[in-house]
Amino acid sequence: MTITHHPADDTLLRHATGALNAGLALVVEAHLTGCPQCRARVAGFEALGGALMEAEKLEPLAPAAFAEVLARLDEPPPVTTAPHVPRRAMLHLPPGMKLPDVLAGCDIGRWLWFGPGVRYSQVRLPWAPEANVMLLRVAANRGVVTHSHALHELTQILHGGYSDCTGSYGPGDMAEGDELLLHQPRADAEGCLCLAALEGGLRLGGWLGRLQRRLGQ
Amino acid sequence: MSAVDQPSPLDAAAQARLIGLVAAARDRQAFAALFKHFAPRLKAFHLRAGLSGGAAEELAQETMLMLWRKAESFDPARAGAATWVYTITRNLRIDQARRQRGPAPQLPEEEFSPSPEAITLESEQAARMREALAVLSGEQRRVIELSFFSDTPHAAIAQVLNLPLGTVKSRIRLALVRLRDALGAD
Ligand SMILES: [Zn+2]
């Protein structure tokens, strides 16, 4: 698998600082799982965070602060609440394809129809229910018009691929879009299955409302 | 016993050695030295990121407690000690922001094995990072710092510096280009 499209540096930096919303962060994690180059980049940004922290002046803590922590060292770690049991629809996936590990704790809805050749499945993050994440599947050789008004939109290709004016995208690639991107992606002969997330409080319906099928094959 | 009355800069090798002692022997003296070094820096870091004094102090304490609990997972081949502490405190901050809404996420990044590119001798990397920060112009350093110290970096930076968003984005890109060597990418 050759990865040719990576997240922008800005995006990786924001991931390293913890500033991405939970949905975008999840999609970036899906990319990082398969991309040593971006993992190294994020590790570099984290080192930058460490260096900035090291360079801080000293801000004294309350005199009792150390004793308070010392008194808690032998406490057992807090008991985590019962782990969320994800609700997963039985998704029909292309043969041999499995969903990325980063989706392990997520609820995944069934495929819903959105026009000929286009289906989506809503992904719910129990730790961030407001996150706007979905799986999107476009049938072989099918075109869609995406006119995005989201502030920031990340799409990680999981299977198959597509082409548009910005290039050809295959498994492992990440596409970034913002409010300026207007494109007409066309799925390749295998079709295209991807994981997408949006920034901002846009509703799923609002986004899909802008995703219109293109006439013809 | 007070661990915070004197500043005591520890170099990266000493930090790693002390974390190793905590992991191997639950060494409280080592922990005290680490607390003395990191806790005031963590508090300053979070104050700069906009937390109140109380919240910054609490997060510094929680970070140190987590350092104690997770010391075994520190791998000097993967990241320098300061970088590791930074990721702990960042993850705590993310969890804290989400706490009202549900359980903490599984963080798959903990399972990543280091790529060859990511492995750098920690002291060497820390030194390179300091040098890299030193070559940035004041403006560039400021946008990078603001990236780390604000939750919605670009918009917040634009507001703070009273600049158009596009200018902020290009300044960050330029600063990142200058940092590229130190960041270990090609
Ligand atoms: Zn990548």
Side-chain angles (χ1 to χ4, degrees):
Chain A
M1 181 161 80
T2 310
I3 300 174
T4 48
H5 298 278
H6 302 272
D9 261 351
D10 289 355
T11 301
L12 294 176
L13 175 63
R14 294 184 66 202
H15 186 63
T17 65
L20 288 183
N21 76 36
L24 295 176
L26 184 89
V27 179
V28 171
E29 289 291 348
H31 180 81
L32 294 179
T33 304
C35 186
Q37 185 184 329
C38 287
R39 285 209 296 278
R41 203 97 182 102
V42 169
F45 290 135
E46 288 172 345
L48 184 55
L52 287 171
M53 185 194 69
E54 275 291 282
E56 279 295 338
K57 61 177 177 15
L58 304 185
E59 185 66 38
L61 279 73
F66 179 63
E68 285 168 11
V69 172
L70 212 51
R72 292 175 60 195
L73 293 186
D74 294 325
E75 278 179 10
V79 182
T80 50
T81 48
H84 177 79
V85 179
R87 287 167 298 167
R88 316 286 292 262
M90 291 295 292
L91 285 189
H92 180 254
L93 297 175
M97 188 207 144
K98 81 186 223 343
L99 291 176
D101 292 344
V102 295
L103 294 180
C106 303
D107 297 335
I108 299 180
R110 63 197 166 85
W111 287 123
L112 297 172
W113 184 86
F114 188 77
V118 182
R119 283 166 190 272
Y120 74 97
S121 147
Q122 191 162 10
V123 175
R124 187 180 158 277
L125 285 52
W127 58 90
E130 77 291 353
N132 210 338
V133 182
M134 74 184 77
L135 290 161
L136 194 61
R137 187 175 185 179
V138 181
N141 302 313
R142 187 68 74 158
V144 292
V145 173
T146 302
H147 182 185
S148 170
H149 285 284
L151 285 173
H152 194 182
E153 189 182 303
L154 295 179
T155 305
Q156 173 73 9
I157 315 301
L158 304 177
H159 182 86
Y162 73 86
S163 299
D164 68 6
C165 56
T166 65
S168 289
Y169 295 79
D173 280 336
M174 171 169 284
E176 283 205 61
D178 59 22
E179 67 279 15
L180 302 175
L181 180 68
L182 171 62
H183 63 157
Q184 300 194 335
R186 174 166 284 273
D188 69 18
E190 280 186 281
C192 183
L193 202 157
C194 53
L195 177 67
L198 305 179
E199 176 158 64
L202 293 181
R203 304 286 311 153
L204 180 72
W207 188 55
L208 280 179
R210 297 190 181 92
L211 178 72
Q212 302 158 347
R213 74 192 159 85
R214 194 176 137 191
L215 294 176
Q217 295 274 340
Chain B
M1 157 160 109
S2 167
V4 292
D5 47 7
Q6 288 295 318
S8 71
L10 293 173
D11 66 23
Q15 293 166 10
R17 189 177 51 78
L18 291 168
I19 294 169
L21 286 171
V22 171
R26 304 280 101 193
D27 186 324
R28 286 174 190 241
Q29 289 303 116
F31 181 73
L34 289 163
F35 191 97
K36 192 166 164 180
H37 179 82
F38 284 120
R41 288 174 169 82
L42 285 163
K43 184 177 177 184
F45 189 87
H46 290 300
L47 276 176
R48 204 207 280 246
L51 291 192
S52 69
E57 176 144 337
E58 195 186 323
L59 201 43
Q61 288 176 297
E62 293 297 326
T63 303
M64 295 311 297
L65 193 58
M66 196 62 86
L67 179 153
W68 174 265
R69 288 179 183 152
K70 293 180 68 177
E72 290 85 353
S73 72
F74 172 63
D75 177 359
R78 261 185 65 184
T83 301
W84 181 68
V85 173
Y86 166 76
T87 60
I88 291 177
T89 209
R90 175 202 62 193
N91 292 347
L92 282 172
R93 182 128 195 248
I94 294 172
D95 289 351
Q96 203 176 53
R98 290 176 187 163
R99 192 161 301 152
Q100 311 88 318
R101 300 198 289 266
Q106 306 297 313
L107 287 173
E109 67 190 277
E110 295 298 318
E111 292 155 20
F112 287 153
S113 55
S115 64
E117 305 96 300
I119 299 177
T120 315
L121 283 177
E122 52 178 293
S123 50
E124 187 192 321
Q125 189 172 28
R128 283 163 65 206
M129 199 59 67
R130 271 195 305 277
E131 286 165 21
L133 283 171
V135 303
L136 293 181
S137 70
E139 264 177 2
Q140 288 168 337
R141 167 109 189 204
R142 181 125 174 88
V143 293
I144 289 293
E145 284 183 351
L146 284 167
S147 292
F148 278 89
F149 299 126
S150 56
D151 273 344
T152 48
H154 297 161
I157 292 166
Q159 203 173 7
V160 168
L161 300 181
N162 197 20
L163 290 170
L165 193 56
T167 309
V168 168
K169 285 190 175 186
S170 65
R171 242 180 231 185
I172 288 176
R173 263 193 296 278
L174 282 172
L176 291 177
V177 167
R178 301 201 71 173
L179 286 170
R180 185 149 293 181
D181 290 342
L183 294 175
D186 39 19

